[in-house]
Amino acid sequence: MTDFKPSILAFCCNWCSYAGADLAGVSRLQMPPNVHVIRVMCSASVKPEYVIKAVTQGIDGVLVLGCHIGDCHYLTGNHRTAKRIPLLQKILDEAGIDSRRIKLDWVSAAEGEKYQKVVTEFVEEIRRLGPNPLREVRF
Amino acid sequence: MQRVGVFVCHCGHNIGSVVDVEKVVEYAKQLENVAVADHNLYSCSEEGLGSIKKSIRENKLDVVVVAACTPRTHEPLFRRACEQAGVNKYLFEFVNIREHCSWIHAKEKEAATEKAKRLIAMGVAKASLLTPQKEGEASVIPVAAVIGGGIAGLTAAASLVSQGIETHVIEKEARLGGLLNNISVIGPEFVETEPLIRRLKEDLERSPQAHIHLESRIVELGGFIGNFDIKIAEGAKTTDFKVGAIIVATGGRELEPTNVYGFGKIPTVITQMELEKRLAGGAAPSSAIFIQCVECRQPGREYCSRICCNVTLKNALRIIRSNPNARVTVLHRDIMSYGTTAERLYREASESGVSFMRYGLESPPKISEKEDGASVEVFDETLNENIGISGEIVVLATPIISQEGTAETAKLLKVPADKNGFFLEAHVKLRPVEFATDGVFICGSARWPSHVTECIAQGLAAAAKAAIPIRGGKVVIEAITAEVDVERCAACGNCVLACPYEAIEMTVIDGKRCAKVNEAQCKGCGTCVAACPNDAMQQKGFTTRQLGAMIDALIKNCKEEAVE
């Protein structure tokens, strides 16, 4: 699978991780071109349904990036994300979907380098896992 | 069907040298709902904006998509252009193909071009579902509250009162003045603090607009910008009032050393604050040793308290000035006398015989008691050996730490504090002295250890910012708030529990129990949207259909690629 081009979705919160991704850009930090960012106001607004929709219909991986715990622009929004995503991963594992295709991490507005690292490592991980088997399935 | 216009920016070479803009434009043209696609060398220039506006009118566009840089900086500009061309500013979608594409895939031109196409497809998918929004408006109670009556808070309060704004000052101690009550002279110009505080106090006491609450603390706080309800405990009684804006000026405090350098055991080992008291009383020692960075800039408390170096320089010079023969030694890890005036202090101190000696974190000075003071053994990095010095007193420069009760204040006001307990403003550069929570402002050492001059500047800045909504009388609420689909709402109350701002309540509409969002209180985080099990809660501009369409666009794209 040398020509496998992973399709990855990332949810970034407006205040920390999206700003961190912007900083990575401003700093010209190079990374694989597989991650497509959807800007949301807070990582706590990422409905589990979005992630389920993406991974059951062929997206190879989903990143959910928020502010570090304690730094949430909306006080405690990311506390919910921190509980919700691991729970979702368990459910997906039960359903036979590899939960390694979903990754939760924290990137602050000052962490352009961390954003680069998270993206690069996640793309590598997805390459190792191979294409999402549900990619070819037509519902 | 919406008529969508897509405008792709070259941003000079920034995007154009990596992404094949013409190819992307051709791709965008065949996307569903796209009526026109074009490109500009610089979309944000007068010329670029002009051509977008012209295209909106000529092609009767309903929705505008700009693929360029980041919405975090340029969204307001393009939204304004849309408005000028008669398109509601919420019918605009930004696609980031610079920070999130060309700049980070500079060497993969083809892949970057493909990614830009996918990002634009996602943007167009969302844009096709955008709906016009009307920004809310809320009235503002023309009263302000300042929490903390130190130099920063008093400066802010006096500034507000001088602008004719009724202001409540809430001070926890029995007198105004804060830390300056114990500091008689401040650097770098050796200004006396007593007249400084007295003038501010007199200004406030004279004004019928100012209400000073001593020995007071906030017990309850609710509401939102323009309409906060505050309940304070003032001595034994409680008082309620309403304000439109709040300034936090709770300050910081000196760290009391914990069992280091013989503090508490050797009476001649004192803190900087104790030295201030002694110097104010006119008692200058014949010799003194200052130890800098005590219990800070080390594991457990990593930050630099910023002001201690200058305070030490000031006090070293005060000792030398009152007793030119005094021996003063400063043991430091680095001296940071920032700014030209403080640099002058450092030079003056060096020239008047204050000796500066560096010590390492791994070899801190050792203190032992002596009959007439204390002796200090310290490893001299230049001589590469231990040397002994003695002094009448040893002064420990400990950091400013966050005020007691910061966590409670943060919780009451729903504002964040960092791991050291200092409050976090919305953005250090773009929105200084403002909290992300509208209508709440911050100044002084509650934000970060600050000199008096900085506290005054920040106090004035916070007052100026707080006066904007109060003088304007109205605040605009960005239309990214949540709204309830009454039909779908099952009145489970999950959203009420999820909302970090208590902006949602249960109500009855036409005999049906359902949730209701208080627009003025909603900050648009969307937490309630994810908590809703019935898809009844929607965030304007980020609806589940809109984000779902973006995901669909990417799925479609990856399936097409798989087929290829």
Side-chain angles (χ1 to χ4, degrees):
Chain A
M1 263 297 181
T2 46
D3 61 344
F4 168 44
K5 289 186 239 162
S7 258
I8 295 167
L9 193 60
F11 290 95
C12 289
C13 73
N14 183 58
W15 305 98
C16 292
S17 49
Y18 193 92
D22 277 357
L23 179 63
V26 173
S27 318
R28 311 294 201 275
L29 302 176
Q30 302 300 303
M31 60 195 90
N34 309 82
V35 174
H36 307 79
V37 174
I38 292 184
R39 183 173 67 104
V40 291
M41 294 311 283
C42 179
S43 63
S45 73
V46 177
K47 274 177 105 75
E49 288 91 325
Y50 298 151
V51 182
I52 293 169
K53 178 188 177 82
V55 291
T56 54
Q57 295 189 37
I59 300 291
D60 299 302
V62 180
L63 271 172
V64 179
L65 304 178
C67 307
H68 285 274
I69 294 293
D71 290 347
C72 180
H73 185 84
Y74 301 105
L75 311 170
T76 54
N78 54 4
H79 292 213
R80 288 185 173 268
T81 318
K83 289 185 206 159
R84 185 179 286 140
I85 302 298
L87 193 61
L88 176 64
Q89 285 172 321
K90 269 189 193 164
I91 294 168
L92 289 175
D93 267 331
E94 288 295 323
I97 293 165
D98 195 331
S99 68
R100 285 174 295 180
R101 294 193 182 275
I102 292 117
K103 186 172 169 59
L104 168 67
D105 214 327
W106 316 120
V107 176
S108 83
E111 292 179 330
E113 284 179 17
K114 169 136 191 220
Y115 179 78
Q116 177 195 35
K117 186 169 171 274
V118 170
V119 163
T120 309
E121 288 177 2
F122 189 61
V123 172
E124 275 168 25
E125 170 84 3
I126 296 298
R127 278 190 187 286
R128 269 197 300 276
L129 294 175
N132 184 345
L134 297 173
R135 212 192 242 221
E136 314 288 342
V137 177
R138 306 270 161 179
F139 288 93
Chain B
M1 205 183 78
Q2 300 275 47
R3 290 174 60 80
V4 180
V6 179
F7 302 93
V8 187
C9 183
H10 286 261
C11 195
H13 280 292
N14 286 302
I15 295 169
S17 69
V18 178
V19 171
D20 188 334
V21 173
E22 277 87 3
K23 240 188 203 170
V24 171
V25 169
E26 286 313 308
Y27 170 81
K29 276 182 184 162
Q30 50 81 42
L31 287 169
E32 202 180 337
N33 296 334
V34 172
V36 59
D38 205 349
H39 55 98
N40 299 103
L41 188 56
Y42 287 103
S43 299
C44 61
S45 66
E46 201 55 47
E47 199 191 332
L49 291 169
S51 86
I52 292 174
K53 283 189 264 188
K54 190 162 163 253
S55 180
I56 292 174
R57 291 198 191 94
E58 282 177 0
N59 296 295
K60 296 189 172 53
L61 299 178
D62 301 308
V63 188
V64 176
V65 174
V66 170
C69 49
T70 172
R72 285 176 54 87
T73 56
H74 281 64
E75 190 172 63
L77 188 72
F78 290 113
R79 277 183 165 181
R80 200 154 53 237
C82 288
E83 255 180 343
Q84 286 164 354
V87 168
N88 182 283
K89 70 190 224 188
Y90 289 91
L91 294 173
F92 168 76
E93 180 63 19
F94 216 127
V95 178
N96 187 339
I97 58 166
R98 191 179 75 176
E99 280 84 345
H100 293 189
C101 190
S102 69
W103 275 354
I104 58 172
H105 314 308
K107 295 200 179 81
E108 301 171 83
K109 295 186 179 180
E110 206 172 307
T113 303
E114 291 306 308
K115 175 171 167 181
K117 286 182 188 173
R118 292 190 293 268
L119 289 173
I120 288 170
M122 291 163 73
V124 168
K126 178 180 175 187
S128 308
L129 297 170
L130 288 174
T131 49
Q133 300 297 342
K134 198 167 169 290
E135 284 169 336
E137 235 180 40
S139 63
V140 176
I141 291 164
V143 181
V146 177
I147 311 170
I151 184 69
L154 289 179
T155 305
S159 166
L160 287 166
V161 166
S162 76
Q163 297 174 64
I165 296 169
E166 191 180 337
T167 304
H168 292 267
V169 178
I170 304 158
E171 168 59 45
K172 68 174 169 144
E173 302 292 339
R175 61 190 280 219
L176 297 173
L179 283 180
L180 287 196
N181 285 332
N182 298 320
I183 298 170
S184 58
V185 172
I186 51 161
E189 310 287 359
F190 297 90
V191 175
E192 286 194 17
T193 57
E194 194 273 334
L196 206 66
I197 295 290
R198 179 163 36 84
R199 266 200 301 274
L200 289 168
K201 261 195 319 208
E202 281 171 2
D203 280 353
L204 292 174
E205 280 160 3
R206 214 182 295 128
S207 165
Q209 302 273 57
H211 311 284
I212 296 166
H213 308 276
L214 298 174
E215 292 181 88
S216 301
R217 62 190 178 86
I218 298 181
V219 284
E220 272 174 43
L221 196 145
F224 41 87
I225 182 170
N227 199 359
F228 291 103
D229 294 297
I230 300 181
K231 184 195 278 267
I232 60 166
E234 192 171 0
K237 68 176 189 342
T238 60
T239 316
D240 295 274
F241 48 87
K242 280 177 172 289
V243 301
I246 299 172
I247 294 177
V248 179
T250 49
R253 60 197 157 121
E254 182 186 45
L255 171 77
E256 174 124 329
T258 55
N259 218 5
V260 289
Y261 298 122
F263 182 80
K265 291 195 196 98
I266 307 171
T268 47
V269 176
I270 61 171
T271 63
Q272 197 75 262
M273 211 50 129
E274 175 59 29
L275 176 67
E276 294 280 356
K277 275 185 215 157
R278 291 188 190 182
L279 290 175
S286 63
S287 58
I289 300 164
F290 289 87
I291 302 179
Q292 299 301 109
C293 300
V294 174
E295 294 194 63
C296 70
R297 296 180 65 217
Q298 65 185 40
R301 190 179 287 111
E302 280 94 2
Y303 70 90
C304 164
S305 171
R306 290 179 82 244
I307 68 169
C308 336
C309 286
N310 289 345
V311 171
T312 290
L313 291 174
K314 173 195 75 172
N315 286 338
L317 277 169
R318 283 168 84 191
I319 294 171
I320 296 265
R321 283 179 184 185
S322 67
N323 180 3
N325 294 322
R327 279 182 298 111
V328 180
T329 310
V330 177
L331 303 178
H332 65 89
R333 278 164 51 206
D334 296 294
I335 286 285
M336 187 178 77
S337 56
Y338 61 92
T340 48
T341 45
E343 182 63 26
R344 222 166 33 233
L345 273 191
Y346 176 68
R347 198 172 303 163
E348 190 189 334
S350 305
E351 284 165 0
S352 25
V354 174
S355 41
F356 292 90
M357 193 184 290
R358 196 170 181 282
Y359 73 91
L361 182 57
E362 61 292 339
S363 54
K366 291 187 189 73
I367 318 274
S368 48
E369 193 167 2
K370 258 180 52 173
E371 213 170 286
D372 53 347
S375 68
V376 177
E377 192 183 295
V378 61
F379 180 75
D380 186 308
E381 292 185 337
T382 323
L383 295 174
N384 211 17
E385 62 185 43
N386 283 328
I387 62 162
I389 34 177
S390 56
E392 195 183 313
I393 54 166
V394 173
V395 183
L396 304 183
T398 54
I400 296 286
I401 57 169
S402 69
Q403 196 58 272
E404 266 176 294
T406 296
E408 289 77 34
T409 311
K411 212 170 156 196
L412 274 171
L413 288 162
K414 303 190 173 72
V415 294
D418 68 12
K419 65 175 178 184
N420 299 310
F422 294 105
F423 289 107
L424 273 173
E425 58 205 333
H427 190 288
V428 184
K429 287 180 185 168
L430 298 177
R431 289 174 67 193
V433 309
E434 275 179 69
F435 277 114
T437 304
D438 294 330
V440 189
F441 305 87
I442 170 83
C443 59
S445 290
R447 176 183 160 272
W448 200 246
S450 302
H451 283 299
V452 170
T453 44
E454 294 163 344
C455 286
I456 292 172
Q458 291 171 27
L460 292 171
K465 288 241 173 116
I468 295 171
I470 290 177
R471 305 289 298 190
K474 271 183 192 144
V475 282
V476 170
I477 302 156
E478 206 192 341
I480 53 167
T481 49
E483 56 187 354
V484 184
D485 179 343
V486 178
E487 288 291 300
R488 293 194 72 98
C489 180
C492 69
N494 270 355
C495 51
V496 178
L497 296 174
C499 179
Y501 298 96
E502 292 162 28
I504 309 173
E505 56 184 5
M506 298 311 291
T507 186
V508 177
I509 295 176
D510 296 333
K512 185 178 187 298
R513 222 174 125 64
C514 63
K516 181 173 162 267
V517 180
N518 180 342
E519 273 218 333
Q521 215 158 338
C522 174
K523 299 281 169 282
C525 63
T527 302
C528 55
V529 177
C532 179
N534 217 22
D535 211 22
M537 193 59 91
Q538 295 292 345
Q539 185 182 5
K540 293 171 194 162
F542 298 89
T543 66
T544 52
R545 280 190 64 213
Q546 288 160 1
L547 299 197
M550 291 180 91
I551 301 168
D552 277 333
L554 187 63
I555 291 168
K556 185 165 171 269
N557 224 293
C558 82
K559 290 212 162 159
E560 276 166 8
E561 248 175 38
V563 171
E564 280 166 20

